[in-house]
Amino acid sequence: MELAIETNGLTRCFGDVRAVDGLDLRVETGRFYGFLGPNGAGKSTTIKMLTGLLAPTSGTMRVLGQNLADATRAREVKQRVGVVPEDLALFDNLTAREYLTFIGRMYLLPLPTVRERCGELLAMMDLQNEEKKLTLEYSHGMKKKLALAAALLPNPDLLFLDEPFEGVDPVSSRVLRETLHHCVKRGTTVFLTSHVLEIVEKLCTDVGIIAKGRLVSQMTMDDIRKTGSLEERFLAAVGGGHAEAQKLSWLEE
Amino acid sequence: MSVNWSQLQTLLWLRWRLTRNQWRRGGAVNVVIAIIATVIGLGVAAAGFVGGVAGGAMALGQASPTTIMYVWDALAGAFLFFWATGIVAEIQRSETIDLRRLMHLPVTLREAFVLNYIVSHFRFSILVVLPAMLGLALGLIVGHGLVMALLFPLVLGFFFMITAWTYCLRGWLVALMVNPRRRRAVVMGITLAFVLLAQLPNLVFNVWPGGPRHVRGKVPADRAAAEEFMAATARKNSAMKHSLEVANMTVPPLWLPFGAGELAAGRVWPAVWGAAGMWVLGAWGLRRAYRSTLRFYAGQTRRKPAAPRAVEAAAKPGGLILLERELPAVPPAAAALALANFRSLTRAPEVKLALGTNVAIMLVMGLMAFWRTRATISATVSPFAATGVVVITFFGLVQLLFNHFGLDRSGFRALVLTPASRSHILLGKNLSFLPFALGVFAVLELAAVVLARPPIAAIAAACMQFAACFLVIGALGNCFSIIAPYRISSGSLKPTKLKPLMTLIIVASQMLFPLFMAPVFLPVGLGALCAHFGWLPGGAVNLVLSLLLVAASVAVYGFTLKPLGRLLERREQQILQVVTQEVE
């Protein structure tokens, strides 16, 4: 079993708060992994550490078989990884095509390949008519689509997508889902966080649930389906049953 | 229109909390500085009031109406200056209580407008100047009689008119700034206009042939010529006084000084008309402000929607966009970043503002320093002017060169995620600034050639010194950008969320900058020395030493690039945290 992502005791503290607390994650190569958790559970912090945007306080991480503590190896891994981070990574003053060209060239892709892929990605994300706008002028959904296009551009072996469907219109969302499915079929590993359980249920082959920085559940979607729905599993894992008990006094009158 | 007192109190509280939180974000030292500034402000206000009463009653008790008018001119001018500075700072801030943050609450548009207008009065400039003006009015009543009580409606009318029209202007600017790209251009335009306006007195005073510097001069020894000189000076002074009186009579913000002068002369009606005029103008301004607020809220702007500018031949089939080009002898990743950053900087109004302001101020200062003496600049001094331009060029760029990643904001995340070598990232960043530095240098050097006429050898040497400085400052800038990065808010070059230590580092780096640049004067200095003692031709020495300086700089840059790349790799997560911090 080849692992695309492997963490051992991964921890990140912000002052006294342990945002991620001793995370032991195993994601097999070629799987579509959904990483779920309530707000503030540590999903984005985990992705940030796995992509090099944030340093861990302790623990080890191996991505695509390489130890990320080694700077040279980490850079080699980056060459094979595409990322849509939580707060995106766009330059305000570039157009969509310019931004994609920049990303392509930083990944050292040949110019004809960059041009071809830029055209296709802009068309796929329905951004080809917005080429003359600066990303500064984009709506949140358009920015998200551009970030997704940039993540797909280098044809990576591993995709980290932090809430990729948030703010994306239904048409682009569907196209994107199909594209991601196609990527996984070709052997790409996708690591995705989302609050929309239906999307995870439809797309993912594996699911990990994080709560208060700890991995509370990790299983395949097939196993989840055998025992009930993802929502039930999720609520059971994060202790969501309490929500029903909490009522507002003035609405009861 | 009724104003709910509780809501007004809440808005005042909100304004206070926003200000207080902004201070606290800056750390303990910032809080202390803010408290000291507030105490000083209150002290100045109290002192202004007492001083105003004392000055009006005693110092101006017997003063002529013209003197009283000039004193009020100075007060009104000082207030307008501080007020305008506050406006420039305010439009760069995102913490205004705008309608979008109010209209979902239980207030009508009219109430929101009135509440916002009232809250807009709580400004430092009003706090400091209003007590001084009221005190002076009180003092003048003691010195010149009860007729001076008319100064109160004049003073209040002055503030009403200024605040109402400012509010109108701000409403107009807000409507203009709905588009984020246009917002930055507006901020840039206003700041630049303000900077240039502030430089206008310098030009009038020092460069304009009819300016005071040119009027003054030594009295000739010959008696007839001396008399003629004195008569000419008196004529010019009289003309200037007349111009000032006309300005006071016709420019609305100066109706307050004019009214004060007239009241001191015992003429009541000009003051009454002045006060009435200012109240009417204020009401008109407020009405306009409300109507534009109404239109803005209803989306009825008369302006055409901002058409996306043709950025470049991006869609031109077969044509290369700038970012697709190669740079000879530059690694592909460095070239890609250099071109992307260059393209990004050319579209950043804050960069244009910084460069434009620097060039404008340097040209004004150059004109001030050399315009009248340009014919007498010696051959020994003129090469220093050519070299001085190099120093001035980089001094103006220090904020950009010493904080590469501050302008990237979220874009820096893309650099962290990229597999490119970090030394290539630094190289790319440095190269992206080259066209800007070269442009500023070319403009200023041309001005130096016109004003100081340096020899060709000195100009050639200055070009080499420019190259040397670019490399050394590039290396230093890389170092500072990695060690002391800070976030710059969008649309301005204003650092945000600065910690005291960082503030200290930035101030120190800018203050020590002339020291970093000192070696660049070595070639020209030694050249001048050799020429003075007749050892060797100064120009040749300057050229040869400048060439050596270039070689040394290449070595320094080459030697530091890789270690700094490794340092960047180690610190990139900390830098990311700093430059991507959001500002409320």
Side-chain angles (χ1 to χ4, degrees):
Chain A
M1 177 183 74
E2 200 182 335
L3 292 177
I5 302 166
E6 184 186 3
T7 70
N8 287 303
L10 189 66
T11 302
R12 171 68 201 205
C13 301
F14 294 101
D16 296 334
V17 179
R18 290 171 88 85
V20 175
D21 190 3
L23 194 71
D24 296 323
L25 204 59
R26 305 278 181 278
V27 179
E28 285 175 44
T29 303
R31 306 294 286 180
F32 204 132
Y33 192 91
F35 197 46
L36 304 176
N39 293 333
K43 301 183 296 292
S44 296
T45 306
T46 305
I47 282 200
K48 280 177 187 166
M49 286 192 284
L50 289 169
T51 54
L53 291 172
L54 200 65
T57 308
S58 63
T60 59
M61 300 178 287
R62 293 182 79 84
V63 173
L64 297 173
Q66 306 290 349
N67 184 355
L68 293 189
D70 180 335
T72 315
R73 296 269 174 268
R75 212 182 311 134
E76 281 170 17
V77 168
K78 284 178 180 177
Q79 188 73 47
R80 298 168 58 198
V81 166
V83 185
V84 175
E86 182 187 26
D87 300 311
L88 309 184
L90 307 178
F91 288 96
D92 288 349
N93 293 312
L94 295 183
T95 62
R97 182 177 286 275
E98 285 171 345
Y99 178 67
L100 292 179
T101 306
F102 164 69
I103 294 293
R105 293 197 64 190
M106 292 304 271
Y107 276 83
L108 305 177
L109 298 176
L111 191 56
T113 311
V114 173
R115 300 190 90 186
E116 188 192 336
R117 290 186 189 175
C118 280
E120 286 182 20
L121 283 165
L122 289 173
M124 185 183 103
M125 297 294 178
D126 199 20
L127 291 172
Q128 74 272 44
N129 296 326
E130 309 289 346
E131 273 187 59
K132 289 179 181 176
K133 269 188 180 175
L134 301 184
T135 62
L136 171 84
E137 298 167 288
Y138 276 19
S139 68
H140 178 69
M142 288 160 76
K143 284 181 180 176
K144 198 83 172 203
K145 289 198 283 188
L146 179 58
L148 282 161
L152 291 169
L153 182 80
N155 190 16
D157 295 330
L158 173 58
L159 268 168
F160 286 102
L161 309 174
D162 198 344
E163 296 285 354
F165 298 102
E166 187 204 17
V168 175
D169 61 82
V171 178
S172 301
S173 173
R174 182 175 179 159
V175 174
L176 182 67
R177 282 202 307 262
E178 282 166 7
T179 309
L180 292 177
H181 252 312
H182 187 65
C183 288
V184 173
K185 269 188 196 164
R186 287 180 62 244
T188 304
T189 311
V190 179
F191 186 91
L192 166 146
T193 73
S194 178
H195 283 118
V196 187
L197 297 181
E198 290 78 12
I199 286 181
V200 175
E201 209 159 14
K202 264 188 202 168
L203 285 176
C204 296
T205 54
D206 298 74
V207 170
I209 300 172
I210 184 173
K212 293 176 183 167
R214 289 176 170 273
L215 191 68
V216 289
S217 172
Q218 184 168 239
M219 54 205 304
T220 65
M221 262 319 294
D222 291 338
D223 290 341
I224 291 172
R225 283 192 195 105
K226 279 178 203 162
T227 55
S229 72
L230 179 60
E231 187 180 9
E232 286 164 4
R233 179 79 217 166
F234 180 79
L235 291 175
V238 303
H242 295 295
E244 283 171 21
Q246 291 166 0
K247 287 177 179 163
L248 300 172
S249 60
W250 69 88
L251 292 182
E252 298 301 306
E253 287 163 12
Chain B
M1 63 185 81
S2 64
V3 178
N4 186 302
W5 177 240
S6 171
Q7 286 174 337
L8 178 61
Q9 274 180 313
T10 311
L11 278 188
L12 287 173
W13 169 85
L14 174 65
R15 177 102 185 189
W16 153 243
R17 294 299 284 203
L18 289 171
T19 310
R20 196 193 73 155
N21 291 348
Q22 199 184 359
W23 290 350
R24 285 171 67 169
R25 276 202 307 261
V29 176
N30 258 28
V31 174
V32 172
I33 292 171
I35 291 171
I36 292 172
T38 308
V39 171
I40 291 174
L42 290 171
V44 169
F49 182 76
V50 175
V53 174
M58 290 182 280
L60 296 176
Q62 303 300 317
S64 70
T66 312
T67 308
I68 288 173
M69 185 176 81
Y70 288 161
V71 169
W72 280 97
D73 269 332
L75 263 178
F79 169 73
L80 289 173
F81 178 78
F82 287 120
W83 183 255
T85 314
I87 297 292
V88 172
E90 191 80 3
I91 59 165
Q92 296 191 18
R93 206 180 292 162
S94 57
E95 283 184 339
T96 47
I97 309 167
D98 65 26
L99 288 178
R100 280 169 296 182
R101 299 181 194 200
L102 282 184
M103 286 315 295
H104 64 289
L105 301 172
V107 286
T108 64
L109 183 64
R110 185 173 284 203
E111 284 166 352
F113 174 82
V114 174
L115 289 171
N116 245 343
Y117 172 66
I118 294 171
V119 170
S120 75
H121 285 71
F122 289 82
R123 297 275 189 92
F124 200 70
S125 42
I126 292 186
L127 174 81
V128 170
V129 179
L130 182 61
M133 283 190 174
L134 292 177
L136 185 61
L138 213 59
L140 285 171
I141 292 172
V142 176
H144 288 262
L146 205 58
V147 70
M148 297 305 273
L150 271 172
L151 271 171
F152 289 116
L154 266 171
V155 168
L156 296 177
F158 170 78
F159 279 101
F160 177 58
M161 181 180 68
I162 298 295
T163 54
W165 278 97
T166 307
Y167 206 64
C168 185
L169 174 77
R170 285 199 58 186
W172 177 67
L173 290 177
V174 166
L176 264 184
M177 294 193 293
V178 173
N179 178 306
R181 188 195 277 191
R182 209 198 277 141
R183 178 186 187 280
R184 300 182 311 171
V186 169
V187 171
M188 182 203 77
I190 288 178
T191 314
L192 189 61
F194 180 72
V195 170
L196 292 177
L197 215 61
Q199 289 301 318
L200 206 60
N202 269 335
L203 280 174
V204 171
F205 193 73
N206 293 295
V207 181
W208 181 49
R213 271 274 173 96
H214 296 265
V215 172
R216 276 195 229 127
K218 281 184 182 170
V219 181
D222 176 57
R223 195 176 161 189
E227 276 174 8
E228 175 56 30
F229 177 83
M230 296 298 279
T233 308
R235 274 198 304 275
K236 288 200 172 175
N237 283 342
S238 162
M240 202 178 294
K241 192 179 161 194
H242 177 70
S243 306
L244 270 174
E245 277 171 1
V246 170
N248 273 285
M249 215 185 298
T250 51
V251 180
L254 299 180
W255 287 348
L256 166 62
F258 181 71
E262 291 297 296
L263 283 174
R267 290 187 286 271
V268 173
W269 284 108
V272 171
W273 285 118
M278 285 194 286
W279 280 96
V280 168
L281 279 177
W284 182 34
L286 211 55
R287 188 164 175 269
R288 275 189 68 99
Y290 178 63
R291 290 180 68 171
S292 53
T293 303
L294 205 63
R295 272 203 306 275
F296 175 61
Y297 184 62
Q300 298 167 344
T301 46
R302 270 176 273 175
R303 225 168 303 285
K304 281 183 197 164
R309 255 184 294 168
V311 175
E312 59 177 289
K316 203 195 283 176
L320 277 181
I321 62 170
L322 179 72
L323 269 78
E324 291 176 343
R325 293 179 192 279
E326 302 287 343
L327 295 178
V330 177
L337 179 60
L339 294 171
N341 206 45
F342 170 71
R343 170 53 83 215
S344 203
L345 290 170
T346 55
R347 291 187 187 136
E350 54 269 44
V351 175
K352 292 178 200 163
L353 168 71
L355 297 178
T357 311
N358 285 334
V359 171
I361 289 177
M362 290 309 158
L363 285 177
V364 169
M365 285 171 70
L367 283 170
M368 277 163 56
F370 295 116
W371 185 252
R372 282 175 306 119
T373 54
R374 63 190 185 282
T376 57
I377 294 173
S378 72
T380 317
V381 174
S382 63
F384 284 91
T387 299
V389 163
V390 178
V391 177
I392 288 168
T393 299
F394 286 100
F395 190 67
L397 289 167
V398 68
Q399 203 186 351
L400 293 173
L401 292 172
F402 277 34
N403 185 31
H404 294 329
F405 311 118
L407 280 172
D408 286 343
R409 302 180 197 106
S410 292
F412 185 68
R413 210 170 273 125
L415 299 186
V416 177
L417 292 170
T418 181
S421 149
R422 274 29 187 174
S423 54
H424 289 171
I425 288 182
L426 292 176
L427 178 63
K429 280 280 180 186
N430 293 149
L431 285 174
S432 67
F433 288 109
L434 183 60
F436 298 101
L438 212 53
V440 174
F441 172 68
V443 170
L444 295 180
E445 194 63 45
L446 195 69
V449 168
V450 171
L451 288 171
R453 296 191 190 88
I456 298 287
I459 299 168
C463 293
M464 284 189 252
Q465 290 152 10
F466 169 84
C469 280
F470 185 77
L471 291 166
V472 174
I473 297 296
L476 268 173
N478 290 342
C479 190
F480 272 98
S481 303
I482 295 167
I483 293 170
Y486 54 94
R487 190 186 194 278
I488 295 173
S489 56
S490 181
S492 75
L493 284 179
K494 194 177 149 205
T496 48
K497 292 193 171 182
L498 271 187
K499 289 188 173 153
L501 179 66
M502 202 58 75
T503 312
L504 203 68
I505 291 174
I506 294 166
V507 171
S509 69
Q510 299 201 352
M511 286 182 78
L512 291 174
F513 190 76
L515 204 67
F516 302 146
M517 299 295 283
V520 84
F521 280 106
L522 272 177
V524 67
L526 288 172
L529 210 64
C530 289
H532 180 75
F533 290 109
W535 297 333
L536 286 165
V541 171
N542 190 3
L543 269 173
V544 171
L545 289 179
S546 298
L547 201 60
L548 287 175
L549 206 63
V550 174
S553 309
V554 170
V556 167
Y557 188 80
F559 182 71
T560 55
L561 191 60
K562 281 205 167 162
L564 286 174
R566 285 194 292 274
L567 183 64
L568 173 62
E569 192 144 33
R570 279 202 300 277
R571 284 192 44 86
E572 61 190 13
Q573 286 149 349
Q574 286 104 304
I575 299 171
L576 182 66
Q577 210 178 344
V578 173
V579 300
T580 56
Q581 281 187 98
E582 282 304 321
V583 181
E584 276 172 40

